[in-house]
């Protein structure tokens, strides 16, 4: 302990330019790292003549510098950057926490013990990434769990075996198929391929184990979004590919022709790099780096956000955001409604308002995006929509939910299993935990905390919460994961 203490105090002897270089190198340090340094060592609390007068310390300057190179921040206009600074009262550490939280909540969460985790809920199953190993539990209808034809259900998180030691970094879960992106950018899929949504044109039979999408072998991807009978793929260069059923134009190619293998959505090539994608039952959303949201596919329930229910065969920008200069950073596509997050941490909803899924205190449909005013005082970092329910995660780790309780899947133990929650309410049952990510399926929901703990609530009839004996969880229940000895097949 003495050696460790002496090492810490010797920081004072390091050249200040070297300390600053360490603080800002690659943006590897999180906000809590910077706060700890500021609290434990006086070197980081001073300005030392290196810090502009508007900033209070070396740590504040480091946060300012790291924000300046963050992929979300660099895409914001000067006006949007200034608005975010005002929103956070000039606190660059809070801005950094916002940016990093938004990024992690839609990707992988870096837990306090160094684990990389991502959780995704399907219809009756759940997928989990933990340090590049993928686990699944719940119903394996059509092979969606990826464990082979002999598996019909997994009552606990079970590691999925991938060929060639693939390290998975992103997953997407839908009704009956799943998609996975590896560290190298390859895409694997499994599940129901009757609509060719898995991207394998040589078979319409179920894919019971993860299989490489050959058509994308030369294209490096970073995200996938599994809809119902179709899939959207996002490349590292910001281009979008789609495959599967296109009865409503949800593939975005200007027609209603099905595509058995991924095809480039050419209409999105000229509008700038796409930074995020989302897929609903019969529609899709794409967010470009300038904050524009494009929607295409089924216009049912006003999910496309254009004020009418016409289908869109090609991506169409949401003009209501453009006219107001609102920069959207993330969207989530529910079964009947959509929720969006802007660069100031404000939340917008539109679509079918049944059961209060839009959070405006009523059940009225909203044909175009409407600001969720009851959360204006909070800085939201993640939005998540599913069947008649919505979750909003804010930057202090608190989780808010609204809509239909649906077998307890909103996480309010004091509410009935069929109650309606018309306005955002904080999940007090999780108030002792800092939530980093939330995902919700049809009747169940799961969260990951900053410490890497997993909690689930709602329906567990098919073991989608990774519990063997519980039928339902009215109150969030911790899910334990038995570490995999090995999650790969030999090459």
């Amino acid at each position: 302990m003495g050696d460790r203490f002496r090492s810490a105090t010797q920081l004072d002897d390091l050249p200040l330019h070297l300390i600053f270089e360490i603080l800002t190198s690659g943006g590897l340090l999180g906000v809590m790292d910077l706060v700890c340094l500021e609290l434990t060592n006086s070197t980081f609390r001073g300005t030392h003549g290196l810090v502009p007068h508007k900033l209070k310390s070396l740590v504040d300057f480091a946060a300012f510098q790291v924000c300046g190179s963050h992929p979300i921040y660099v895409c914001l206009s000067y006006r949007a950057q200034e608005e975010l600074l005002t929103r956070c009262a000039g606190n660059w550490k809070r801005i950094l926490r916002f940016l990093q939280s938004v990024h992690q909540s839609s990707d992988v969460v870096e837990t306090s013990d160094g684990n990389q985790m991502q959780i995704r809920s399907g219809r009756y199953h759940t997928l989990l990434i933990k340090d590049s190993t993928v686990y699944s539990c719940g119903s394996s209808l059509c092979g969606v769990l990826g464990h082979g034809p002999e598996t019909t259900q997994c009552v606990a998180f079970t590691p999925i075996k991938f060929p060639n030691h693939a390290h998975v970094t992103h997953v997407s879960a839908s009704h009956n198929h799943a998609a996975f992106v590896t560290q190298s950018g390859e895409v694997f899929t499994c599940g129901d391929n009757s609509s060719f949504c898995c991207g394998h044109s040589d078979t319409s039979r179920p894919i019971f184990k993860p299989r490489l999408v050959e058509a994308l072998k030369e294209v490096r991807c970073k995200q996938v979004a599994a809809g119902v009978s179709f899939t959207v793929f996002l490349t590292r260069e910001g281009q979008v590919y789609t495959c599967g059923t296109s009865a409503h134009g949800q593939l975005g190619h200007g027609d209603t022709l099905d595509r058995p293998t991924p095809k480039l959505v050419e209409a999105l090539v000229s509008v700038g790099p796409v930074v995020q994608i989302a897929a609903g039952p019969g529609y899709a959303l794409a967010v470009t780096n300038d904050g524009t949201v494009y929607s295409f596919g089924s216009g049912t329930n006003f999910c496309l956000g254009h004020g009418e229910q016409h289908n869109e065969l090609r991506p169409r920008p949401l003009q209501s955001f453009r006219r107001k200069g609102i920069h959207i950073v993330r969207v989530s596509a529910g079964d009947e409604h959509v929720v969006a997050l802007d660069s100031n941490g404000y939340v917008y909803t539109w679509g079918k308002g049944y059961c209060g899924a839009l959070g405006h205190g009523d059940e009225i449909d909203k044909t175009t995006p409407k600001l969720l005013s009851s959360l204006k005082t909070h800085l939201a970092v993640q939005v998540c929509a599913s069947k008649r329910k919505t979750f909003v995660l804010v930057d202090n780790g608190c989780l808010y939910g609204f809509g239909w309780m649906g077998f307890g899947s909103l996480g309010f133990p004091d509410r009935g299993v069929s109650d309606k929650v018309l306005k955002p309410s904080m999940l007090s049952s999780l108030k002792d935990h800092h939530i980093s990510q939330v995902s919700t399926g049809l009747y169940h929901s799961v969260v990951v905390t900053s410490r890497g703990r997993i909690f689930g609530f709602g329906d567990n009839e098919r073991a989608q919460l990774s519990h063997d004996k519980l039928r339902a969880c009215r109150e969030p229940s911790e899910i334990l994961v038995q570490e995999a000895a090995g999650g790969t097949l030999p090459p």
Side-chain angles (χ1 to χ4, degrees):
M1 179 65 74
D3 291 339
R4 291 178 62 186
F5 178 76
R6 282 194 296 274
S7 297
T9 57
Q10 287 168 1
L11 282 172
D12 296 328
D13 300 327
L14 289 175
L16 288 173
H17 74 275
L18 181 57
I19 292 176
F20 185 70
E21 185 69 25
I22 294 171
L23 286 176
T24 59
S25 179
L28 297 177
L29 294 179
V31 174
M32 291 309 299
D33 297 320
L34 295 177
V35 171
C36 287
L37 289 173
E38 197 170 37
L39 291 175
T40 58
N41 193 291
S42 60
T43 299
F44 300 101
R45 294 195 292 271
T47 61
H48 308 288
L50 297 175
V51 178
H53 69 278
K54 291 184 179 180
L55 300 172
K56 298 177 181 179
S57 68
L58 199 61
V59 162
D60 281 342
F61 193 25
F64 165 74
Q65 291 287 94
V66 174
C67 285
S69 61
H70 194 279
I72 294 177
Y73 189 82
V74 297
C75 291
L76 300 181
S77 65
Y78 176 77
R79 174 188 167 188
Q81 290 176 353
E82 288 297 302
E83 287 177 349
L84 179 58
L85 181 62
T86 301
R87 175 98 155 110
C88 295
N91 187 333
W92 284 100
K93 290 193 289 294
R94 190 176 187 193
I95 294 174
L96 181 58
R97 182 172 73 174
F98 168 72
L99 296 172
Q100 291 180 335
S101 297
V102 171
H103 183 77
Q104 287 195 55
S105 64
S106 62
D107 195 39
V108 292
V109 173
E110 178 82 38
T111 66
S112 59
D113 58 1
N115 285 324
Q116 300 278 337
M117 298 179 69
Q118 184 185 51
I119 196 90
R120 288 291 182 266
S121 301
R123 188 176 180 85
Y124 296 117
H125 64 284
T126 305
L127 300 174
L128 167 70
I129 298 177
K130 188 172 184 181
D131 291 336
S132 300
T133 296
V134 186
Y135 302 78
S136 61
C137 65
S139 172
S140 192
L141 184 65
C142 299
V144 71
L145 296 189
H147 297 302
E150 66 283 353
T151 301
T152 58
Q153 180 173 289
C154 287
V155 298
F157 273 124
T158 304
I160 303 174
K161 294 182 178 180
F162 284 79
N164 301 322
H165 303 282
H167 286 220
V168 178
T169 58
H170 186 83
V171 298
S172 181
S174 181
H175 285 46
N176 298 325
H177 78 287
F180 314 85
V181 180
T182 69
Q183 194 172 46
S184 63
E186 294 180 318
V187 179
F188 290 79
T189 56
C190 64
D192 183 11
N193 196 44
S194 59
S195 62
F196 296 106
C197 58
C198 290
H200 308 296
S201 62
D202 59 338
T203 178
S204 60
R205 297 190 303 273
I207 311 296
F208 287 102
K209 293 184 177 182
R211 178 178 170 186
L212 178 68
V213 179
E214 294 286 346
L216 293 174
K217 198 170 183 178
E218 303 303 320
V219 179
R220 293 293 168 254
C221 292
K222 64 177 182 179
Q223 279 182 32
V224 282
V228 176
S229 301
F230 76 105
T231 308
V232 187
F233 308 86
L234 177 60
T235 73
R236 291 178 178 175
E237 286 72 36
Q239 295 183 332
V240 176
Y241 289 73
T242 58
C243 68
T245 296
S246 192
H248 308 291
Q250 60 263 49
L251 299 189
H253 302 301
D255 54 42
T256 56
L257 300 176
D258 299 345
R259 297 301 194 288
T261 56
K263 175 180 170 60
L264 177 68
V265 181
E266 296 180 358
L268 288 172
V269 173
S270 60
V271 299
V274 173
V275 295
Q276 194 237 335
I277 52 176
Y283 69 97
L285 305 166
V287 182
T288 55
N289 67 342
D290 66 354
T292 302
V293 180
Y294 291 81
S295 61
F296 47 102
S298 173
T300 304
N301 298 315
F302 304 101
C303 286
L304 298 187
H306 303 300
E308 69 256 344
Q309 299 193 72
H310 303 310
N311 293 349
E312 296 290 342
L313 305 185
R314 286 187 175 87
R316 177 182 172 187
L318 270 68
Q319 295 297 342
S320 60
F321 287 135
R322 275 187 164 183
R323 285 193 296 266
K324 298 173 183 176
I326 296 170
H327 186 118
I328 298 298
V329 293
R330 294 293 185 269
V331 291
S332 181
D335 287 27
E336 302 165 327
H337 72 291
V338 180
V339 56
L341 172 70
D342 78 2
S343 59
N344 282 318
Y346 292 126
V347 178
Y348 305 80
T349 59
W350 65 94
K352 191 174 182 65
Y354 185 55
C355 295
L358 302 184
H360 300 295
D362 54 43
E363 297 185 64
I364 301 172
D365 297 348
K366 303 295 183 290
T367 62
T368 56
K370 181 178 179 180
L371 175 66
L372 195 54
S373 57
S374 60
L375 287 177
K376 281 185 68 175
T377 58
H378 299 281
L379 198 63
V381 296
Q382 187 194 358
V383 291
C384 183
S386 184
K387 181 76 169 180
R388 299 173 183 170
K389 60 180 175 292
T390 308
F391 289 101
V392 176
L393 178 62
V394 299
D395 71 331
N396 64 2
C398 291
L399 185 64
Y400 290 78
F402 47 96
W404 183 49
M405 273 291 291
F407 299 93
S409 55
L410 271 184
F412 300 113
D414 57 336
R415 300 288 192 118
V417 294
S418 293
D419 280 2
K420 301 173 183 178
V421 180
L422 302 183
K423 285 189 174 183
S425 297
M426 189 182 77
L427 274 70
S428 57
S429 54
L430 289 170
K431 63 181 176 59
D432 294 331
H433 305 279
H434 187 288
I435 307 303
S436 294
Q437 192 173 89
V438 58
S439 183
T440 181
L442 183 61
Y443 301 129
H444 75 290
S445 305
V446 286
V447 302
V448 173
T449 75
S450 61
R451 295 181 178 273
R453 297 173 69 181
I454 306 168
F455 293 87
F457 40 98
D459 180 36
N460 190 52
E461 188 72 27
R462 295 169 177 82
Q464 56 265 55
L465 296 179
S466 189
H467 286 296
D468 189 6
K469 298 178 181 179
L470 292 175
R471 286 291 185 91
C473 295
R474 292 281 302 280
E475 188 167 346
S477 176
E478 186 164 10
I479 300 171
L480 301 178
V481 182
Q482 186 171 354
E483 296 293 335
T488 59
L489 289 170

